[in-house]
Amino acid sequence: MTATIEKQELLYTGKAKQMYATNDPEVLWVEYLDQATALNGKRKVEIAQKGRLNNRISTLIFKDLAAHGIENHFIDQPSDYVQLVRKVTMIPLETVVRNAASGSFERKFAAEHLTKFAEPVLEFFYKSDELDDPFINDSQVLALKVATAETIAEMKRQALLVNQRLTTIFAEMGIQLVDFKIEFGMTAAGQVLLADEISPDSCRLVDLKTGDSLDKDVFRKGLGDLAPVYQEVLTRLATVEEDQHVSD
Ligand code: ADP
Ligand code: TMP
């Protein structure tokens, strides 16, 4: 990596982040946006501070995962809204891990809200805005040549490790990790690498004391202001991570 990373041209504007090239071809400059979307981008609202909060939360989680042996694309957080990450070729799959019934699982199977699963449930969704990110099973992934059997197995392995560590972190924060979505990319050397973000936008979090949602469901269901909720998650996460550094 070159010593000073400089922002170059805009490569992509997504629903939550903008991706820029840098003077290092292996590094991306990510800007987290003050924006929330639902219904695959059909509903879009500006939310002050959201980008800063998600950037910080995602940074602390990626650092924690790396410290616990789960490699990921995070390199540095140079400022409030910016993250530097390793550029990878994204695998167009959303990997969802569920510890209890909620969201689309609850709707699809008329499952009782927050019924705990004996083993985590793992699902893939095919990333396609045109198709509304449909559920996709392993043999459909293979048929469409989206990923090899080896890559699928590696994504599942890492996703379960991420689940173990995230469940522990959130429990220490007084929060139940109900489910979450992660994305992986492929490095030039063929390594499956955890990428994108891990934040309350992509996790379902429930306060263990009050049962309140501490994630994007607050926006999806119109339950109130998102920023104070994300600030609460960040405050608790920062405390847990600081304690770890003291004891490490
Ligand atoms: P979306 O594309 O779903 O609207 P975002 O607004 O979060 O989502 O945009 C970020 C985009 O950058 C996503 O398409 C994501 O797959 C991609 N991405 C995340 N991390 C990396 C990375 N390390 N290298 C290349 N692309 C990445
Ligand atoms: P679901 O219950 O709606 O399928 O969502 C499962 C998890 O995935 C939940 O934590 C929210 C997250 N998620 C995303 O991050 N992006 C998405 O586009 C969707 C549909 C869900």
Side-chain angles (χ1 to χ4, degrees):
M1 199 174 98
T2 41
T4 313
I5 295 291
E6 287 157 25
K7 177 177 164 182
Q8 292 183 342
E9 78 273 14
L10 176 66
L11 299 175
Y12 176 78
T13 297
K15 295 185 285 289
K17 305 187 280 300
Q18 285 185 320
M19 316 300 276
Y20 293 84
T22 69
N23 50 325
D24 184 329
E26 291 184 11
V27 178
L28 283 183
W29 177 289
V30 184
E31 289 196 6
Y32 279 69
L33 303 173
D34 279 343
Q35 180 174 289
T37 62
L39 308 170
N40 226 342
K42 291 176 199 90
R43 188 174 148 228
K44 196 194 292 185
V45 173
E46 190 175 323
I47 298 179
Q49 302 298 322
K50 176 176 172 283
R52 177 182 68 78
L53 294 165
N54 271 353
N55 186 26
R56 191 66 197 145
I57 291 168
S58 199
T59 290
L60 291 175
I61 290 177
F62 278 139
K63 279 185 170 182
D64 179 290
L65 292 177
H68 288 82
I70 303 168
E71 278 188 62
N72 58 72
H73 74 161
F74 178 83
I75 297 172
D76 192 18
Q77 187 198 348
S79 62
D80 277 355
Y81 282 85
V82 178
Q83 209 174 101
L84 300 178
V85 303
R86 262 182 86 181
K87 186 177 183 174
V88 289
T89 304
M90 293 307 289
I91 300 162
L93 292 172
E94 300 196 332
T95 304
V96 169
V97 181
R98 303 180 190 272
N99 297 304
S102 192
S104 66
F105 185 101
E106 182 183 335
R107 285 194 297 276
K108 195 169 174 180
F109 301 109
E112 194 183 337
H113 187 55
L114 298 187
T115 308
K116 284 194 182 150
F117 303 132
E119 295 295 330
V121 171
L122 218 146
E123 296 171 2
F124 291 120
F125 292 84
Y126 184 41
K127 258 183 87 92
S128 161
D129 284 340
E130 302 81 65
L131 301 175
D132 264 348
D133 298 348
F135 172 86
I136 185 166
N137 72 16
D138 293 20
S139 56
Q140 290 167 332
V141 170
L142 294 175
L144 293 170
K145 296 192 163 51
V146 171
T148 64
E150 199 185 15
T151 298
I152 294 172
E154 180 58 13
M155 288 194 292
K156 288 182 180 176
R157 190 187 71 81
Q158 291 192 35
L160 293 176
L161 288 178
V162 171
N163 185 45
Q164 276 177 11
R165 182 58 202 155
L166 288 185
T167 299
T168 303
I169 305 172
F170 284 115
E172 284 171 14
M173 293 160 59
I175 291 173
Q176 179 192 0
L177 176 64
V178 176
D179 56 36
F180 65 91
K181 182 270 299 180
I182 47 179
E183 295 181 24
F184 295 95
M186 196 70 89
T187 66
Q191 181 195 358
V192 176
L193 191 69
L194 178 64
D196 201 47
E197 72 177 271
I198 301 181
S199 73
D201 269 13
S202 54
C203 300
R204 260 198 196 95
L205 307 171
V206 171
D207 190 312
L208 283 166
K209 272 208 189 109
T210 64
D212 291 345
S213 285
L214 297 175
D215 60 65
K216 201 172 149 187
D217 273 355
V218 170
F219 171 73
R220 291 190 192 98
K221 298 180 181 174
L223 300 175
D225 291 345
L226 207 58
V229 172
Y230 282 27
Q231 179 61 61
E232 176 65 22
V233 172
L234 174 56
T235 303
R236 293 194 203 180
L237 178 61
T239 308
V240 166
E241 294 298 330
E242 268 166 31
D243 287 352
Q244 276 218 17
H245 286 298
V246 173
S247 58
D248 275 353

